[in-house]
């Protein structure tokens, strides 16, 4: 009708569980020596005099380090790390190493992690696998990068059109990494900031007749303003 499972330690037999099933799993066991005996049980005739016995030495697996770590720079200064899955891993620890000192930055269950808007400089990372049963891997996979900020480029060109008789309409293409644009008017060699916009066009309405010179620069909230601009005359 059922089965008694005994664990034997130092010759002492201890009942672990009674079950009506033909198998039993003991989860997340510590490393060590294990010996078991199984007896059959009848509700009419009692427990069998003989038992079946088994023994084993349980050795925990050694956690492997992640493999195939790649480091990519996105958006000019976002650092993205990506690695392959490790058997038994339930998470991954990401450390930053500076001057030989290792600091835990993040623990994640994902296979990638992005650190946004990093300052220029040298970055070295180590990624370890982690198991909630077997601990952290003894070794890590490493990646390193010298992060240099991109130099902001101005818009490639600026076009100007007259509209409604005396409105001037400026339009330009997007510049890489730009989060906005500065429009300057140049009068007798003096450059004056007229307007800042996050769009790629701007109109100036009801202007008096005359000569107009504009210059458009790009800027990034991360990397600053382009050193030069694109000029246009009308």
């Amino acid at each position: 009708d059922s089965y008694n499972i005994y664990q034997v330690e130092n010759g002492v037999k201890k009942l672990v569980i009674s079950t009506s099933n033909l198998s039993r799993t003991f989860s997340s066991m510590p490393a060590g020596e294990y010996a078991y005996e199984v007896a059959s049980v009848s509700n009419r005739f009692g427990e069998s005099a003989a038992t079946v016995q088994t023994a084993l030495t349980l050795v925990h697996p050694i956690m492997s380090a992640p493999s195939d770590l790649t480091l990519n720079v996105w958006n000019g200064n976002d650092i993205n790390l990506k690695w392959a899955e490790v058997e038994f891993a339930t998470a991954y620890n990401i450390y930053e190493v500076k001057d030989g000192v290792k600091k835990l930055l993040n623990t994640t269950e994902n296979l990638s992690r992005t650190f946004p808007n990093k300052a220029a400089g040298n970055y070295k990372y180590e990624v370890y696998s982690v198991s909630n049963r077997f601990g952290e891997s003894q070794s890590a996979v490493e990646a390193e990068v010298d992060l240099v900020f991109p130099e902001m480029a101005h818009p490639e060109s600026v076009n100007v059109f007259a509209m409604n008789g005396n409105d001037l309409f400026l339009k330009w293409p997007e510049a890489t990494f730009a989060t906005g644009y500065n429009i300057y008017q140049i009068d007798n060699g003096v450059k004056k900031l007229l307007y800042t916009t996050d769009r790629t066009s701007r109109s100036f309405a009801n202007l008096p007749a005359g000569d107009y010179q504009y210059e458009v620069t790009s800027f990034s909230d991360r990397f600053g303003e382009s050193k030069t601009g694109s000029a246009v005359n009308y």
Side-chain angles (χ1 to χ4, degrees), residues 3 101 109 113 127 129 131 147 171 201 209 225 233:
Y3 302 89
V101 178
E109 297 177 358
R113 180 72 166 95
V127 182
S129 64
S131 166
L147 182 63
K171 186 175 178 61
S201 64
E225 186 179 35
N233 300 315

Side-chain angles (χ1 to χ4, degrees), residues 10 20 22-23 29 55 92 97 106 116 145 149 166 170 221 230:
N10 299 319
S20 58
L22 297 175
S23 65
M29 300 294 287
Y92 301 88
V97 182
N106 188 256
V145 65
F149 280 180
N166 67 339
L170 303 179
D221 52 10
S230 285

Side-chain angles (χ1 to χ4, degrees), residues 171-182:
K171 186 175 178 61
W172 56 90
E174 289 186 0
T176 304
F177 304 123
T179 54
Y181 302 90
N182 287 330

Side-chain angles (χ1 to χ4, degrees), residues 8-28:
V8 183
E9 291 186 13
N10 299 319
V12 178
K13 190 165 67 170
K14 178 183 177 182
L15 179 64
V16 177
I17 195 170
S18 293
T19 178
S20 58
N21 297 322
L22 297 175
S23 65
R24 174 66 181 176
T25 300
F26 299 99
S27 300
S28 193

